[in-house]
Amino acid sequence: MIKVYHAPRTRSVRILWLLEELGLPYEIEKVAFGPKPKPFGQDTPFGKVPALADGEVPMFESPATAQYLPQR
């Protein structure tokens, strides 16, 4: 199943919207968006939002993710 790391008021909304339009099953992992001691400040695989994990395929750029999902 696809796991989306989502923080409100970020570009991850684009990915959630696309997943809904495509009818793909997914789960949301909500993360806090703010300053933390980690790079970029998010608790995601790459320290960025949006981030996605599709099995062994991790992604974090929303344009690349938007191209990947319809081909899945």
Side-chain angles (χ1 to χ4, degrees), residues 26-45:
Y26 65 93
E27 63 182 66
I28 298 174
E29 177 79 26
K30 290 187 179 181
V31 296
F33 187 80
K36 291 186 181 180
K38 296 180 180 183
F40 300 98
Q42 289 85 38
D43 292 323
T44 67

Side-chain angles (χ1 to χ4, degrees), residues 46-72:
F46 298 101
K48 296 183 178 186
V49 172
L52 176 138
D54 184 13
E56 298 294 320
V57 178
M59 301 189 85
F60 63 89
E61 292 291 336
S62 60
T65 304
Q67 290 179 345
Y68 167 79
L69 289 173
Q71 296 174 16
R72 184 180 181 276

Side-chain angles (χ1 to χ4, degrees), residues 1-37:
M1 176 169 294
I2 298 170
K3 181 184 235 179
V4 179
Y5 294 87
H6 167 68
R9 302 174 70 180
T10 66
R11 292 181 180 160
S12 59
V13 171
R14 296 174 180 177
I15 304 308
L16 296 176
W17 181 19
L18 180 58
L19 286 164
E20 285 293 325
E21 290 292 322
L22 294 172
L24 294 172
Y26 65 93
E27 63 182 66
I28 298 174
E29 177 79 26
K30 290 187 179 181
V31 296
F33 187 80
K36 291 186 181 180

